[in-house]
Amino acid sequence: GDSVTQMEGPVTLSEEAFLTINCTYTATGYPSLFWYVQYPGEGLQLLLKATKADDKGSNKGFEATYRKETTSFHLEKGSVQVSDSAVYFCALSSGSGGSNYKLTFGKGTLLTVNP
Amino acid sequence: GAVVSQHPSRVICKSGTSVKIECRSLDFQATTMFWYRQFPKQSLMLMATSNEGSKATYEQGVEKDKFLINHASLTLSTLTVTSAHPEDSSFYICSARDLGERTDTQYFGPGTRLTVL
């Protein structure tokens, strides 16, 4: 079945450091890929997405490129801020056209950014 | 992005009682909504898929008689935890699928923290 593997945390960085959170996937067909962010005590917020190979999703300085050849969707940000501290989830969607549509999530990566 | 609300945000109940959680898509119609459960410091576990006007589809291991789901309109799905027990204490999150000509994205509610005493 479909699966998402993402880098285990926690990840601790200093402010303005470069961030990479690795995500690879296994899926049949052509899934869409997502990064969601969860701040403490809250639900998930969509951070960015990509729907086909070579698409780059970007938002709030974060970027991720859909790499079909390496089945990856790594999240990057050039300069993190304290406010970026949160849990980041990589996800893929499957069964897009049918009743079996659903999201499959990675385990989440806790990012802590220190001033 | 689209907005999904959940109510209540927190609920504390006694063991044996039932609790209803509402999930609403505020600015789009959602034929499909999802209910997840999240344990501390863990990922989301899909419990069931709720389709408007039809019975929910439950994931393996989820008791349909315990977690009743109703999706009566295109903007509202409810999850009722029946005869709640302390082991049902968890963070419950819903999401709604925004499926249009140019979009196919799940938007998540803020979650409901259920504590069963």
Side-chain angles (χ1 to χ4, degrees):
Chain A
D2 295 346
S3 67
V4 175
T5 303
Q6 66 180 97
M7 171 177 165
E8 288 204 24
V11 174
T12 303
L13 296 173
S14 296
E15 206 164 23
E16 299 184 3
F18 183 84
L19 168 71
T20 299
I21 301 178
N22 290 337
C23 172
T24 58
Y25 67 90
T26 302
T28 55
Y30 304 96
S32 293
L33 302 174
F34 306 84
W35 277 100
Y36 284 88
V37 58
Q38 184 178 33
Y39 298 100
E42 299 183 11
L44 273 68
Q45 299 177 24
L46 177 65
L47 181 59
L48 53 84
K49 68 176 183 178
T51 58
K52 61 184 188 294
D54 299 326
D55 269 3
K56 177 187 283 187
S58 61
N59 184 27
K60 300 181 181 179
F62 291 90
E63 293 183 339
T65 301
Y66 190 143
R67 301 287 188 199
K68 188 178 178 183
E69 64 275 14
T70 54
T71 61
S72 65
F73 194 54
H74 304 320
L75 182 68
E76 296 182 338
K77 186 173 185 180
S79 176
V80 294
Q81 305 299 312
V82 173
S83 57
D84 294 327
S85 298
V87 180
Y88 292 81
F89 291 95
C90 184
L92 67 83
S93 65
S94 56
S96 61
S99 59
N100 57 341
Y101 168 89
K102 64 180 181 182
L103 284 180
T104 300
F105 286 90
K107 292 187 176 181
T109 302
L110 172 64
L111 169 65
T112 302
V113 180
N114 295 318
Chain B
V3 179
V4 175
S5 69
Q6 269 184 254
H7 178 79
S9 57
R10 291 178 177 270
V11 57
I12 300 173
C13 69
K14 293 182 179 180
S15 186
T17 61
S18 295
V19 174
K20 180 185 284 188
I21 303 170
E22 292 186 348
C23 177
R24 294 180 185 274
S25 57
L26 298 185
D27 49 4
F28 66 98
Q29 294 184 327
T31 55
T32 306
M33 291 184 172
F34 304 84
W35 287 96
Y36 297 85
R37 185 172 178 176
Q38 185 179 34
F39 293 99
K41 298 184 180 180
Q42 294 189 27
S43 189
L44 281 71
M45 181 191 80
L46 178 64
M47 299 174 65
T49 301
S50 168
N51 293 297
E52 188 266 339
S54 64
K55 291 183 179 180
T57 302
Y58 290 82
E59 296 297 302
Q60 192 171 12
V62 178
E63 299 177 60
K64 60 182 66 176
D65 294 332
K66 180 166 188 63
F67 298 100
L68 300 179
I69 291 172
N70 183 276
H71 193 159
S73 78
L74 289 172
T75 59
L76 173 64
S77 176
T78 60
L79 168 68
T80 301
V81 183
T82 63
S83 186
H85 291 285
E87 57 266 30
D88 298 325
S89 298
S90 192
F91 194 51
Y92 292 87
I93 304 175
C94 74
S95 71
R97 185 183 183 190
D98 184 8
L99 179 60
E101 285 188 21
R102 300 181 181 180
T103 185
D104 186 1
T105 303
Q106 275 191 42
Y107 294 95
F108 286 77
T112 297
R113 174 74 59 192
L114 170 64
T115 302
V116 184
L117 301 177

